[in-house]
């Protein structure tokens, strides 16, 4: 996998840090956001190859953040991987309708995360 710029968005510090450790261990550059509002600000200020977006968060949820990120013309092609601990099938459907490329239920193992990242990037045509 080539070096990626990744924005990890999750309100749980342990989730953010775990994903950060996995991705930085593979040589990727990682930025962290605690909620959707921070994610939108980061995405408007900088260019990312991938956004890993938790769906259920305070301040602004991942669905709204995904929609707002997609509205920005330069972010229409960014790959977005949605994550949620909620097992409802509607969460997956709503995530994809909001603009996510792929959806994974938490908890997710390292190998599941890396496979989901690869699938998400491939859907956007990003070479991995």
């Amino acid at each position: 996998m080539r070096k990626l710029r990744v924005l990890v968005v999750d309100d749980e510090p342990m989730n953010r840090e775990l994903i950060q450790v996995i991705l930085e261990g593979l040589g990727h550059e990682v930025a962290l956001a605690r909620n959707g509002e921070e994610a939108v600000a980061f995405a408007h200020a900088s260019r990312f190859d991938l956004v890993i977006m938790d769906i259920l968060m305070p301040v602004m949820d991942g669905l709204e953040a995904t929609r707002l990120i997609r509205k920005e013309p330069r972010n229409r092609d960014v790959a977005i991987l949605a994550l949620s601990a909620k097992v409802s099938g509607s969460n997956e459907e709503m995530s994809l309708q909001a603009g996510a490329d792929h959806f994974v239920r938490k908890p997710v193992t390292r190998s599941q995360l890396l496979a989901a990242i690869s699938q998400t990037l491939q859907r956007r045509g990003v070479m991995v």
Side-chain angles (χ1 to χ4, degrees):
M1 210 181 275
R2 70 175 176 84
K3 182 177 179 174
L4 301 171
R5 294 198 71 233
V6 183
L7 175 60
V8 177
V9 188
D10 200 305
D11 59 316
E12 291 293 329
M14 188 175 293
N15 292 340
R16 286 191 311 269
E17 292 168 15
L18 178 62
I19 295 171
Q20 179 182 26
V21 166
I22 291 169
L23 295 178
E24 286 181 347
L26 295 171
H28 303 302
E29 182 181 333
V30 178
L32 304 174
R34 297 173 294 181
N35 57 58
E37 189 174 85
E38 286 184 8
V40 171
F42 270 110
H44 287 160
S46 189
R47 178 80 172 112
F48 294 94
D49 299 299
L50 172 67
V51 176
I52 299 176
M53 181 76 73
D54 184 27
I55 296 305
L56 301 174
M57 296 181 289
V59 182
M60 179 189 293
D61 69 25
L63 297 173
E64 183 63 18
T66 297
R67 285 197 255 331
L68 291 172
I69 288 170
R70 285 281 184 236
K71 279 186 181 180
E72 179 77 25
R74 74 180 197 161
N75 288 323
R76 288 195 180 127
D77 292 331
V78 68
I80 300 178
L81 170 60
L83 299 175
S84 181
K86 191 171 180 184
V87 292
S88 165
S90 66
N91 246 12
E92 179 174 1
E93 185 179 322
M94 289 186 306
S95 297
L96 298 174
Q97 287 175 352
D101 297 294
H102 194 60
F103 179 89
V104 175
R105 284 185 178 82
K106 294 192 283 187
V108 60
T109 66
R110 181 183 189 277
S111 61
Q112 289 170 328
L113 177 67
L114 295 177
I117 289 170
S118 180
Q119 291 171 354
T120 303
L121 294 169
Q122 287 174 1
R123 288 182 180 166
R124 280 284 158 186
V126 177
M127 299 303 295
V128 292

